[in-house]
């Protein structure tokens, strides 16, 4: 059984070797943030962070569940997304003929984290965590084909359309948990967000002039926005109600993310059901301040009476996205005619969301755990882009050394307009965008 679980989990991890993000996710930052393999395996629930420095990002009171006097952790994770865009082909009578896929992109980006847990006294825990996070990694490349007529109808390559939005940060977290009374733990943590790398690109590369190009000549804009450091934090509590039922709740503070300079902006268009991408090619925007929403978590852990140790996890997460905003500051010498109204007068109507996590951890007689989970991940933009994640993982112990591995996947699709529309092309207004996410993670821990 132990060998079968290891093989199954290893296949899952190998299948999930990368991370990228969809068109919308990097511009609003709504993909789940997870830095511990156990948490990923049980439906991305905070209960998987129990006793680990990774709890500094979710509920710092869970540090109280750390038993060793000193623990060191290191982890690697890789996320991947496959994005496919297509539109239906119709005959002269308007009937459906086929679903034409015209672009397929797949990218992956790795991340890492290291941390330490310290138990100086029986009722006090300290922890520190450093992790690297790719907040934005959307990379889009589309081949543009022309059209020749004759004995054979061919589609020669006439150019490329490209979009890129990359932004990574280092998160440094410090926190502690105290045990003031019986099974009650209180915790607080502060998170310092330091920018690492940022780049935005919009490009139409013309190899050969064609009516099927969005431009008659090559257009290329590449900028490196500057982000200011930010500070946020969380405070929380855990309480063992009975020896079989525990409660955990926490709140993450809202914070501001300030960007200076830039090229790509997500803005509202009252004629569209989803936000659109605005290209500030004349660089009228000097600074934009993004207000990130707060987050309230509530979870339960049930330990039923069972010969084989089993834990059931449940958690709900409420995010106040109606509090999110983008405030633009324009250059004093900017031409008012170059500033679209939708940059400031029609904010994106984000909706508050409630996310739901389920997880189970079953430990066999051999000591090897089997973890499974489900995560309902609604989008703050539109219900059409809601995601449901399915997760799994296991772990192995070799003396004082622990290894945990896990994986997750989800799929989704929504309707959206062509990112590089062609004037002469007549087709349905919206493309179908299909996305497939895969996540793989491994966490190493040494207990002293």
């Amino acid at each position: 059984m132990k060998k079968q679980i290891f093989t199954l989990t290893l296949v899952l991890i190998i299948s999930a070797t990368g991370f990228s993000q969809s068109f919308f996710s990097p511009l609003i930052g709504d993909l789940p943030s997870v830095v511990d393999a156990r948490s990923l395996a049980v439906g991305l629930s905070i209960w998987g962070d129990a006793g680990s420095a990774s709890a500094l990002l979710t509920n710092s009171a869970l540090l109280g569940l750390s038993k060793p006097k000193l623990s060191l952790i290191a982890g690697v994770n890789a996320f991947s997304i496959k994005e496919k865009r297509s539109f239906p082909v119709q005959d002269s009578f308007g009937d459906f003929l086929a679903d034409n896929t015209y672009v397929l992109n797949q990218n992956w980006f790795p991340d890492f984290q290291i941390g330490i847990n310290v138990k100086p006294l029986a009722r006090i825990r300290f922890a520190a965590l450093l992790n690297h996070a790719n907040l934005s990694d959307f990379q889009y490349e589309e081949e543009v084909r022309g059209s020749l007529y004759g004995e054979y109808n061919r589609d020669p390559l006439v150019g490329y359309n490209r979009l890129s939005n990359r932004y990574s940060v280092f998160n440094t977290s410090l926190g502690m948990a105290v045990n003031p009374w019986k099974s009650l733990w209180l915790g607080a943590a502060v998170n310092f967000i330091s920018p690492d790398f940022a780049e935005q690109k919009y490009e139409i590369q013309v190899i050969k002039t064609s009516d099927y190009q969005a431009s008659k000549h090559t257009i290329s804009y590449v900028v490196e926005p500057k982000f200011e450091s930010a500070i946020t934090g969380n405070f929380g509590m855990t309480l063992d109600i009975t020896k079989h039922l525990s409660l955990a709740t926490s709140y993450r503070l809202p914070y501001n993310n300030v960007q200076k300079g830039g090229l790509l902006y997500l803005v509202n268009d009252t004629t569209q059901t989803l936000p659109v991408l605005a290209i500030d090619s004349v660089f009228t925007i000097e600074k934009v301040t993004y207000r990130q929403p707060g987050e309230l978590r509530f979870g339960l852990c049930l330990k039923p009476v069972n010969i084989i140790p089993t834990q059931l996890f449940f958690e709900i997460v409420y995010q106040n996205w109606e509090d999110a905003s983008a405030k633009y500051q324009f250059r004093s010498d900017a031409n008012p005619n170059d500033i679209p109204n939708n940059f400031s007068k029609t904010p994106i109507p984000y909706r508050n969301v409630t996310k739901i996590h389920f997880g189970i951890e079953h430990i066999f007689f051999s000591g090897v755990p089997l973890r499974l989970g489900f995560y309902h991940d609604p989008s703050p933009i539109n219900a059409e882009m809601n995601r449901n994640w399915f997760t799994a993982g296991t772990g192995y112990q070799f003396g004082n050394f622990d290894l945990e591995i896990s994986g997750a996947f989800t799929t989704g699709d929504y309707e959206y307009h062509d990112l590089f529309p062609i004037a002469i092309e007549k087709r349905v207004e919206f493309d179908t965008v299909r996305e497939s996410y895969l996540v793989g993670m491994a966490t190493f821990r040494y207990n002293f």
Side-chain angles (χ1 to χ4, degrees), residues 30 207 267 313 397 413:
D30 73 323
I207 298 176
V267 298
F313 307 114
Q397 185 173 359
D413 59 77

Side-chain angles (χ1 to χ4, degrees), residues 333-345:
D333 60 344
N335 187 339
N337 296 326
D338 294 332
I339 303 175
N341 289 334
N342 54 10
F343 270 120
S344 56
K345 294 184 178 180

Side-chain angles (χ1 to χ4, degrees), residues 36 40 69 196 223 261 270 316 361:
D36 192 282
L40 176 66
K69 289 187 176 181
D196 174 38
V223 300
T270 56
I316 58 174
E361 181 179 65

Side-chain angles (χ1 to χ4, degrees), residues 74-301:
V76 292
N77 61 280
F79 291 63
S80 171
I81 182 177
K82 178 187 292 184
E83 180 196 43
K84 182 170 68 174
R85 292 176 178 262
S86 62
F87 61 88
V89 179
Q90 299 174 327
D91 60 20
S92 56
F93 298 99
D95 295 327
F96 174 81
L97 290 179
D99 199 25
N100 179 45
T101 298
Y102 69 92
V103 65
L104 179 64
N105 287 305
Q106 185 170 12
N107 299 294
W108 71 277
F109 300 89
D111 278 323
F112 69 91
Q113 47 276 332
I114 56 175
I116 181 172
N117 288 68
V118 181
K119 178 184 175 182
L121 298 172
R123 293 179 177 270
I124 298 178
R125 305 288 190 275
F126 291 102
L129 178 73
L130 172 67
N131 79 292
H132 184 269
N134 287 293
L135 298 185
S136 301
D137 272 309
F138 174 72
Q139 302 222 31
Y140 176 93
E141 181 175 277
E142 171 191 344
E143 290 185 352
V144 181
R145 298 286 175 170
S147 179
L148 294 177
Y149 294 90
E151 184 177 356
Y152 298 101
N153 182 20
R154 300 175 180 175
D155 55 348
L157 179 67
V158 297
Y160 292 92
N161 296 326
R162 298 185 180 94
L163 275 176
S164 177
N165 188 70
R166 303 191 63 186
Y167 174 43
S168 61
V169 300
F170 285 101
N171 291 318
T172 304
S173 302
L174 304 171
M176 65 178 296
V178 296
N179 179 215
W181 177 75
K182 293 184 179 180
S183 57
L184 172 67
W185 283 90
L186 302 177
V190 60
N191 183 23
F192 302 92
I193 305 172
S194 305
D196 174 38
F197 173 78
E199 181 184 83
Q200 295 179 340
K201 176 192 293 186
Y202 178 88
E203 184 175 76
I204 300 174
Q205 180 185 356
V206 177
I207 298 176
K208 182 179 180 180
T209 303
S210 170
D211 291 337
Y212 290 90
Q213 284 278 28
S215 173
K216 297 299 182 182
H217 59 277
T218 295
I219 297 174
S220 182
Y221 301 102
V222 181
V223 300
E224 295 185 359
K226 304 299 181 183
F227 287 85
E228 295 182 359
S229 298
I231 300 177
T232 184
N234 72 76
F235 52 88
M237 62 158 284
T238 64
L239 176 65
D240 293 336
I241 301 174
T242 70
K243 65 179 182 179
H244 298 295
L245 181 64
S246 300
L247 176 150
T249 184
S250 66
Y251 180 70
R252 188 197 67 194
L253 300 170
Y255 65 97
N256 291 331
N257 190 20
V258 180
Q259 173 187 327
K260 295 182 179 179
L263 176 68
L264 309 178
Y265 300 92
L266 195 66
V267 298
N268 190 30
D269 185 339
T270 56
T271 66
Q272 302 289 337
T273 58
L274 295 175
V276 299
L277 193 67
I279 313 298
D280 184 22
S281 59
V282 293
F283 306 106
T284 60
I285 297 175
E286 183 176 56
K287 183 174 73 173
V288 57
T289 301
Y290 295 102
R291 180 68 172 176
Q292 302 296 333
E295 180 179 87
L296 179 64
R297 291 175 175 265
F298 176 84
L300 294 173
C301 172

Side-chain angles (χ1 to χ4, degrees), residues 383-428:
E384 186 181 359
M385 292 181 291
N386 290 353
R387 296 183 286 247
N388 291 315
W389 296 79
F390 298 90
T391 68
T394 187
Y396 309 92
Q397 185 173 359
F398 311 95
N400 293 337
F401 180 81
D402 294 333
L403 168 63
E404 295 173 345
I405 56 178
S406 60
F409 74 92
T410 187
T411 61
D413 59 77
Y414 60 92
E415 304 295 319
Y416 200 66
H417 60 77
D418 188 359
L419 297 179
F420 294 87
I422 303 170
I424 68 167
E425 192 173 44
K426 295 182 180 180
R427 56 175 172 143
V428 294

